[in-house]
Amino acid sequence: MSSRWIPLESNPDVLNAWAKKAGMASNVEFGDVYGFDDSLLAMVPQPVKAVVLLFPISKESEARRTKEDSEIATNGQPELDPTILWIKQTISNACGTMGLIHAIANSDVTVAPMSPLAKFIEQCIDKTPEERSKLLETTPLFADIHAQAASSGQSAVPTNLDTDLHFTCFVAAPSPKGEKRLIELDGRRNGPIDRGACTDLLKDAAQTIQNLYVGESQSMQFNVMSLGPRHTD
């Protein structure tokens, strides 16, 4: 990977600080998902536009990643919506910014015209995932936004930038056949991953996270956040 950024802390304040600077509309925000029970999912403001997961990289998760990537390369997967914007991660510790870009760019969230994010998304449309990576590498503004957000968390900025935590993102996208599909967007993978039919983004993403991520790990270092309407008391 080409360079190293400070890891983003996984809390809504940090993600919202990043999103505000990048140009996301003020009527939506990232918020915590406190659990997978129906009663806890019901507390999440609707409609959910995207789900962001922070998970620990482990031997189990790496083995599953290798197996899944191999199976997709060999057997393919359902045809994906060609408008999905996915970026290959080439910057170490940039997975937080990658997850945020994937979440916002692949939902119907409003982005301010001429904002850094709007300009970046427009420039990415006709580029390959690798060309998008190079664009991210050479856009200092995103490195600056990432650094400012990383420094705004509740924890002290680490002196050791090595981390075994990683962000991924889930969105709903139409298939060429017209049905909604749950799509995982992770810059460390070989492309977008179809996770099956999607009737309720939050519930379907929660079930996938439980089955694929939490179920294979003994770690407690998971955090799930949703992108949706700004919470009002």
Side-chain angles (χ1 to χ4, degrees), residues 66-77 190:
T66 299
K67 181 174 182 288
E68 284 184 343
D69 287 348
S70 176
E71 290 175 346
I72 290 173
T74 301
N75 303 320
Q77 60 180 342
N190 294 328

Side-chain angles (χ1 to χ4, degrees), residues 79-84 172-181:
E79 187 177 356
L80 298 171
D81 177 9
T83 66
I84 293 173
S175 74
K177 295 181 180 180
E179 63 178 351
K180 287 283 188 179
R181 307 292 293 181

Side-chain angles (χ1 to χ4, degrees), residues 87-102:
I87 308 167
K88 183 68 176 176
Q89 183 178 343
T90 57
I91 305 171
S92 182
N93 295 338
C95 58
T97 281
M98 302 285 292
L100 288 162
I101 293 174
H102 283 150

Side-chain angles (χ1 to χ4, degrees), residues 162-181:
D162 292 331
T163 179
D164 62 354
L165 300 176
H166 185 69
F167 283 91
T168 189
C169 169
F170 298 87
V171 299
S175 74
K177 295 181 180 180
E179 63 178 351
K180 287 283 188 179
R181 307 292 293 181

Side-chain angles (χ1 to χ4, degrees), residues 126-144:
D126 295 326
K127 289 181 170 58
T128 67
E130 292 74 20
E131 290 170 336
R132 294 165 183 167
S133 301
K134 183 59 66 175
L135 182 62
L136 184 61
E137 290 176 18
T138 56
T139 305
L141 189 56
F142 275 107
D144 293 342

